[in-house]
Amino acid sequence: MASTKVVFLTFLTDVLIDEVLSYAPNSYEIVVLGKDSTEENRINEARNADFLMCYGHNPSDDVLRSLEKCRLVQNLAAGYDSMNLDLLTELEIPLANNGGANSWAVSDQAVLLMLAIYKQLLACNTSTRTGRWLEPITGQNTFELANKKVGILGIGNIGKQVAKRVQAFDSEVQYYDLNPLDDATEKELNVSYVSIDELFRTSDIVTCHTPLTNETRHIVDAERLSMMKSSAILINTSRGPVVDEKALIAALTDGEIAAAGLDVFEKEPVDPDNPLLKMDNVVATPHMAGTTWDTWVRRAKFAFQNMERVRRGEAPQAVVNFVD
């Protein structure tokens, strides 16, 4: 087979680039374009690329238009909200995400945030280190996941993994998704579908795992936050704009909900003066839920296997822009 050219747009470190590329077939010619590459360089290299692979460095519209022979844009990340899907569809180039490669990592983080809130982890860590021992614990402010109702907003690859994990803690799981699961899958996962309003009204924990689209932007708004129990907590490891941040700040300040665990924010990096970072009832992390050493193997293998599918004349998997 003739050499296959892959242009890799990325801001990854050399160590991680080497790890990803170690899974490429020997016949592939890989051109890595990092932080120092110019737009002109990216356009020129893209012209004769068979595949475009991206992580943390998405192509401009001019780069996309220069893809004269590209058969697939492969994103190593799960999110695709910063990609121009309309243009890719117009150009008849499929865009695939990572096929759930980071679903274990993100679902772990979601459960971690739930437990950190329920067990007052951050306050206890600080008090233990500063000689104040049990000071944060009142006997009324720590909880178990057992017998809690967890509401999953968006039950794709990550949402399904969250369902499995919280049930290991004896939680009950309900979900809402624009595309409900079939009966067999619901039975296999032991989850039940409810309306979005029912999800917010009855869940002890609402955890967000939906992609960011026009339909899901601010899907968690003031009205839905007001439906939640005052004892309920909100977890967001999906995309920041899924949640109306001003409404969340108000809900936390006014005691409409008890707490929030956030890995994502509407503006990233998050402003150090963001009120959410000043709240004791918020656990915050820097959009790192999907980043583990383990994920790079799965991301890379899936990406190059997807390219090989296309080379064999098969349809790629995990396409998000519905190109035929």
Side-chain angles (χ1 to χ4, degrees):
M1 245 180 215
S3 176
T4 298
K5 180 177 178 180
V6 178
V7 171
F8 186 16
L9 298 182
T10 185
F11 289 165
L12 290 175
T13 63
D14 290 343
V15 171
L16 292 177
I17 289 171
D18 289 345
E19 176 66 13
V20 169
L21 298 190
S22 69
Y23 296 94
N26 292 332
S27 62
Y28 279 30
E29 172 197 353
I30 313 287
V31 178
V32 179
L33 300 178
K35 294 179 181 178
D36 298 330
S37 65
T38 65
E39 179 74 348
E40 181 181 8
N41 184 213
R42 292 189 285 271
I43 289 171
N44 289 335
E45 291 290 356
R47 282 199 176 96
N48 62 346
D50 296 288
F51 300 102
L52 182 65
M53 186 166 68
C54 310
Y55 186 84
H57 182 187
N58 291 327
S60 67
D61 289 355
D62 287 339
V63 170
L64 293 179
R65 290 190 180 95
S66 72
L67 295 169
E68 296 178 358
K69 56 181 289 194
C70 181
R71 301 168 67 187
L72 174 71
V73 175
Q74 177 65 59
N75 195 0
L76 295 184
Y80 48 85
D81 46 279
S82 56
M83 289 278 194
N84 191 337
L85 293 187
D86 291 339
L87 179 57
L88 282 165
T89 303
E90 177 188 325
L91 296 170
E92 298 186 347
I93 301 173
L95 168 68
N97 70 358
N98 67 15
N102 66 345
S103 58
W104 289 272
V106 179
S107 56
D108 285 354
Q109 184 88 0
V111 177
L112 172 67
L113 291 170
M114 296 175 198
L115 291 171
I117 291 169
Y118 267 5
K119 300 295 286 184
Q120 297 290 328
L121 179 65
L122 300 187
C124 287
N125 176 67
T126 299
S127 70
T128 303
R129 290 173 181 270
T130 55
R132 291 180 290 117
W133 201 232
L134 279 170
E135 184 179 286
I137 304 304
T138 66
Q140 298 171 288
N141 63 348
T142 51
F143 305 92
E144 303 165 359
L145 281 175
N147 301 312
K148 300 300 187 298
K149 188 172 286 187
V150 176
I152 298 177
L153 182 61
I155 197 157
N157 290 313
I158 295 168
K160 289 172 184 172
Q161 293 294 337
V162 171
K164 295 176 184 178
R165 281 157 173 71
V166 297
Q167 286 180 81
F169 289 87
D170 296 320
S171 295
E172 178 186 346
V173 178
Q174 57 186 12
Y175 80 96
Y176 171 78
D177 196 291
L178 292 171
N179 300 295
L181 303 172
D182 58 67
D183 292 344
T185 306
E186 283 190 357
K187 185 175 181 181
E188 178 186 351
L189 290 173
N190 192 28
V191 300
S192 56
Y193 174 85
V194 294
S195 70
I196 189 167
D197 288 350
E198 180 74 4
L199 187 91
F200 278 87
R201 274 198 301 265
T202 62
S203 297
D204 297 296
I205 300 170
V206 173
T207 181
C208 302
H209 302 290
T210 179
L212 178 60
T213 65
N214 290 334
E215 291 76 17
T216 63
R217 184 177 295 273
H218 284 189
I219 194 170
V220 183
D221 58 10
E223 181 180 1
R224 294 202 168 107
L225 288 166
S226 70
M227 296 177 184
M228 295 176 70
K229 302 175 183 179
S230 60
S231 60
I233 66 175
L234 178 76
I235 305 295
N236 189 11
T237 57
S238 57
R239 284 294 185 269
V242 166
V243 177
D244 182 338
E245 218 163 81
K246 289 182 180 178
L248 176 60
I249 291 167
L252 289 164
T253 302
D254 297 342
E256 286 187 341
I257 67 172
L262 307 171
D263 184 55
V264 290
F265 297 85
E266 289 210 62
K267 177 187 175 185
E268 294 182 353
V270 64
D271 187 333
D273 293 326
N274 188 316
L276 290 166
L277 303 185
K278 315 296 182 184
M279 296 180 172
D280 292 336
N281 56 347
V282 173
V283 177
T285 53
H287 201 154
M288 45 70 67
T291 305
T292 64
W293 177 255
D294 313 77
T295 66
W296 297 113
V297 177
R298 294 192 296 270
R299 293 174 198 262
K301 283 185 175 180
F302 179 83
F304 290 117
Q305 287 168 2
N306 225 15
M307 294 176 202
E308 285 293 278
R309 289 184 190 99
V310 173
R311 286 218 306 168
R312 293 192 299 264
E314 301 170 11
Q317 294 182 358
V319 172
V320 298
N321 62 330
F322 309 105
V323 171
D324 185 359

